[in-house]
Amino acid sequence: MVPSILFEIMLIGLLGIGAQWAAWRYRIPAIVVMSVTGLLVGPILGFINPEEDFGNLYNPIISVAVAIILFEGSLNLNFKELRGLGKPVFRISTIGAFIAWILGSLTAHYIAGLSWPVAFVIGGLFIVTGPTVIMPLLRQSKLKPRPAKILKWEGIIVDPIGALLAVFAFEIIAYLTAENPNGAALVLFFVGSVFAGIFGWLCGRGIGWMFETGHIPEFLKSPAVFVVVILCFTIPDEFMHETGLLSVTAMGITLANMGISSVADMRHFKENVSILLISAIFIMLTASLKMDTLLQIFSPNIIGYVLLMMFAVRPLSIFLSTIKTDLSLNEKALVGWIAPRGIVALTVSSYFASILTDAGYEDASILTTLTFGLVIFTVIAHGFSIRGLAKKLHLSMEGRPGTLIVGSNPFTVELAKSLRKARVPIIIVDSSWEKLRYARKEGVPFYHGEMLSEQTEYNLDTIPYEYIIAATDFHSYNALVCTTFMPEYGRTNVFKISPFRQIDSSSSDIVSKIGGRILFKEKMALDDLNEKINNGYIFRQTTITQQYSYKQYVEEKDDATVFLYVIKPSGQIRFYAEDTKAIPGAGDIIVSLTPPNKEIKKIQAKLENQRSNGTNNGTKE
């Protein structure tokens, strides 16, 4: 056991983030690594048991964390995303959820051996997927926009619906089995659900109005939202258990669709907090399990139940609910397979296990085992299969990471052509149709629109592109583009052309310290690059080998050469930036902007060599 609660909190955070890093480093599903880590330090090795150690604080900590995670996920649910997807999402979240409830309940009764009341409670709960498991999978799988949006919307919307279905089933059971049935409890449930939805909407509108009118200063916006989220969850949940999830979801969707600019800034911050919470909560939940629970998972009735839920109930509910929609067969197959269960299923099932057992349903004692069996099997199966299945169904954005270039001019067009020659997906974005003539003339893919506008966000598919280069004539705008997209793409993948040539020294300090990394050379401004293109500079590829080292290449190159990027043997692109320290090795291809005189010299040397050979041949004759 750990020496103190403080040490245990530190250990949980360290293990959670460590698991996330290991998953990123070795390309393993994060939820799998977190689950295994929690099992190792908990029931297997016995280092920690958060449920016992935290005592009465354990459940409130889990509940508040789930509320924040669900709210952060719902902040991404803008109705504009539903263009062309409204019907499938609505069908899956309503008809599909109902079919999954009925089929899941039948499976729980006939296969898992649960009584009808317990089966219908757990059948309602198990329709959930949720952002805690769906979001990490979507980050790693690189799905095409349509299936990714469907899975995201379903996961966040159905999360509170599943919890409410479980509560509804329990209330129905309590009503039907009572000696003196009283419909007041059922009425209270519906009133509580309606109240939760309205309360969440009011919280969203209220905090949004205060943001828009300036009643909350910038430095208090994120703390204020956190407090309101906890308020929004707690008040309805005290009134009717599990309605708090519906309330925070309604609040998040309301804020997401109010068009408030500061919500985007908060979204990035809350996404970071959610990753921390997901990591910690997964460690806590899995570490709190008992060894008996783990061993019971492998009983035939639980394995049979889990397999039917994965291979029959889920696919049937998706295929039946999406009849006469525009979803392709491949999209139905992928969505019908991917349904990992996560934190909400684990936390709510433990709650119902206790109250159903107290109500006299002895078979409810296996609910925790059944839930964890479904969670662990779906997390592993779906986590490891989503990428391969998406690729086979042609629903993944496979291939080399692409580059999105903001600004159309002679240099960026030639850069795009060189990247396309290296089979790298590229696109040039510019709001000026006149400047896009360079891209149109050379046949380079382009998008006409303002990169920072909301319309572009929904019309331009940015999934294939992992790098952004801001290279317009306005250096402040370049910095703004980089600052905007840095939270999404990461600092190492966002670049701007050096501004130092065209702006004065006082503003150069400001622009250089915000936005992305300065591309190529620090003193190589966009005007310099365009001038080189106009003077006939060419893009040249040079392969580094064991015989021709990088050091030799640097010694022989022309002083006017500009290093642009390196193509690794794996196909990855590494752009030269102000802080680039890595030295290319054997097998790497360096792409540079080379003076034309070097090519002329090479041609002259070749001609002289041919003449020399011809002279020697003539002498021999």
Side-chain angles (χ1 to χ4, degrees):
M1 297 295 289
V2 294
S4 68
I5 294 295
L6 179 61
F7 186 88
E8 185 167 342
I9 293 172
M10 178 277 295
L11 184 62
I12 289 171
L14 188 64
L15 290 173
I17 297 303
Q20 289 273 10
W21 178 86
W24 165 80
R25 179 66 178 81
Y26 298 104
R27 297 181 177 272
I28 303 173
I31 45 182
V32 174
V33 182
M34 290 185 290
S35 299
V36 172
T37 303
L39 292 176
L40 282 174
V41 298
I44 296 177
L45 299 177
F47 288 155
I48 60 174
N49 188 332
E51 187 173 12
E52 291 182 1
D53 298 337
F54 291 172
N56 294 332
L57 288 176
Y58 178 79
N59 287 327
I61 290 172
I62 299 290
S63 297
V64 169
V66 170
I68 293 171
I69 292 166
L70 196 56
F71 169 74
E72 187 277 324
S74 62
L75 271 181
N76 296 302
L77 299 184
N78 194 306
F79 291 126
K80 292 183 179 180
E81 280 191 358
L82 290 178
R83 292 173 182 171
L85 293 175
K87 189 175 181 181
V89 168
F90 177 79
R91 290 272 200 90
I92 291 172
S93 303
T94 53
I95 299 172
F98 179 77
I99 294 172
W101 179 29
I102 301 301
L103 294 179
S105 302
L106 293 173
T107 306
H109 176 71
Y110 288 109
I111 304 300
L114 298 178
S115 61
W116 281 114
V118 178
F120 270 94
V121 170
I122 206 67
L125 177 61
F126 283 168
I127 70 171
V128 304
T129 53
T132 60
V133 283
I134 284 296
M135 294 306 185
L137 287 187
L138 294 182
R139 272 194 290 267
Q140 73 174 37
S141 59
K142 296 184 180 179
L143 292 182
K144 288 185 177 179
R146 278 172 59 91
K149 288 177 181 178
I150 290 172
L151 288 170
K152 181 181 76 172
W153 274 83
E154 182 206 8
I156 296 170
I157 291 176
V158 175
D159 235 25
I161 292 177
L164 290 176
L165 272 180
V167 176
F168 172 69
F170 176 75
E171 295 296 341
I172 289 289
I173 292 165
Y175 174 76
L176 295 177
T177 57
E179 293 183 4
N180 298 311
N182 186 354
L186 286 176
V187 174
L188 188 64
F189 166 75
F190 287 110
V191 171
S193 301
V194 172
F195 168 73
I198 295 174
F199 188 71
W201 178 81
L202 288 173
C203 287
R205 295 295 298 184
I207 198 75
W209 175 79
M210 295 183 77
F211 282 0
E212 288 183 304
T213 54
H215 284 82
I216 299 179
E218 288 296 325
F219 75 95
L220 277 181
K221 283 185 176 179
S222 290
V225 169
F226 267 108
V227 172
V228 175
V229 167
I230 297 172
L231 167 76
C232 186
F233 171 78
T234 304
I235 300 300
D237 209 64
E238 290 291 317
F239 183 67
M240 174 62 66
H241 200 68
E242 302 309 330
T243 57
L245 297 178
L246 175 64
S247 186
V248 294
T249 303
M251 176 182 170
I253 293 176
T254 302
L255 271 174
N257 290 276
M258 287 182 67
I260 302 172
S261 58
S262 55
V263 168
D265 301 328
M266 287 190 300
R267 186 184 296 130
H268 294 307
F269 173 69
K270 285 180 174 53
E271 184 178 0
N272 295 333
V273 173
S274 290
I275 291 174
L276 177 62
L277 291 175
I278 289 170
S279 307
I281 298 308
F282 251 103
I283 298 293
M284 290 175 63
L285 288 172
T286 51
S288 298
L289 293 171
K290 295 179 173 57
M291 187 59 72
D292 294 341
T293 301
L294 294 181
L295 296 176
Q296 197 177 7
I297 288 173
F298 298 99
S299 59
N301 60 329
I302 291 183
I303 290 179
Y305 172 78
V306 170
L307 291 177
L308 277 176
M309 288 290 289
M310 292 170 63
F311 291 97
V313 173
R314 172 66 178 183
L316 275 174
S317 65
I318 295 299
F319 274 88
L320 292 175
S321 63
T322 54
I323 292 174
K324 293 185 178 180
T325 64
D326 61 348
L327 291 186
S328 67
L329 185 61
N330 286 356
E331 289 172 330
K332 291 180 181 180
L334 181 68
V335 175
W337 168 244
I338 302 299
R341 275 63 168 191
I343 290 174
V344 171
L346 279 172
T347 54
V348 180
S349 70
S350 62
Y351 163 75
F352 279 111
S354 62
I355 65 170
L356 285 170
T357 303
D358 293 341
Y361 298 99
E362 295 181 0
D363 55 332
S365 60
I366 71 163
L367 286 188
T368 301
T369 303
L370 194 69
T371 305
F372 186 73
L374 187 62
V375 168
I376 197 67
F377 280 115
T378 54
V379 159
I380 292 174
H382 299 153
F384 280 109
S385 65
I386 184 171
R387 204 164 193 171
L389 181 62
K391 188 174 181 180
K392 286 189 176 181
L393 295 175
H394 307 292
L395 294 175
S396 66
M397 306 299 297
E398 292 296 327
R400 294 182 176 181
T403 301
L404 188 153
I405 303 173
V406 182
S408 176
N409 50 66
F411 170 73
T412 57
V413 168
E414 291 300 321
L415 176 64
K417 287 169 61 179
S418 77
L419 288 167
R420 189 166 61 169
K421 184 179 178 181
R423 292 179 290 127
V424 174
I426 56 96
I427 191 167
I428 291 179
V429 179
D430 203 307
S431 59
S432 169
W433 184 253
E434 171 64 21
K435 291 182 179 178
L436 281 171
R437 71 184 186 276
Y438 300 110
R440 297 198 306 270
K441 180 180 178 182
E442 298 295 334
V444 173
F446 66 88
Y447 176 85
H448 180 219
E450 169 53 59
M451 188 64 204
L452 298 177
S453 75
E454 188 178 7
Q455 184 178 3
T456 299
E457 181 181 352
Y458 295 109
N459 292 337
L460 177 62
D461 177 19
T462 59
I463 290 179
Y465 311 107
E466 291 191 9
Y467 303 101
I468 286 187
I469 297 175
T472 70
D473 296 330
F474 305 99
H475 302 308
S476 299
Y477 179 79
N478 293 342
L480 181 60
V481 168
C482 292
T483 303
T484 301
F485 289 96
M486 192 179 293
E488 182 178 350
Y489 285 81
R491 182 182 183 278
T492 56
N493 292 356
V494 177
F495 305 94
K496 62 187 178 186
I497 301 296
S498 173
F500 289 102
R501 181 178 174 186
Q502 288 191 344
I503 58 179
D504 58 72
S505 58
S506 61
S507 57
S508 68
D509 291 338
I510 299 173
V511 178
S512 65
K513 288 178 173 56
I514 62 174
R517 301 157 69 197
I518 295 178
L519 205 56
F520 315 137
K521 293 181 179 179
E522 184 179 277
K523 296 182 179 180
M524 187 62 62
L526 181 61
D527 286 346
D528 298 317
L529 294 168
N530 283 328
E531 185 178 330
K532 290 181 183 296
I533 296 297
N534 294 332
N535 290 336
Y537 276 58
I538 63 170
F539 284 77
R540 180 180 179 82
Q541 291 188 358
T542 305
T543 303
I544 302 301
T545 64
Q546 296 290 349
Q547 294 75 27
Y548 187 68
S549 66
Y550 179 69
K551 181 179 180 182
Q552 184 179 354
Y553 168 71
V554 172
E555 290 174 351
E556 295 180 358
K557 74 174 181 64
D558 191 292
D559 291 339
T561 297
V562 180
F563 291 169
L564 302 177
Y565 57 90
V566 176
I567 305 174
K568 308 295 287 185
S570 63
Q572 290 285 324
I573 299 294
R574 295 287 183 270
F575 286 97
Y576 277 93
E578 56 177 346
D579 53 357
T580 299
K581 295 179 181 178
I583 297 176
D588 292 346
I589 300 174
I590 300 176
V591 179
S592 58
L593 191 59
T594 308
N597 61 336
K598 188 169 184 178
E599 291 299 310
I600 295 172
K601 289 178 181 178
K602 285 185 65 178
I603 295 172
Q604 289 175 344
K606 187 176 180 180
L607 291 174
E608 289 176 5
N609 186 43
Q610 289 176 348
R611 291 195 196 99
S612 176
N613 288 338
T615 303
N616 291 336
N617 290 336
T619 304
K620 287 178 182 179
E621 289 179 359

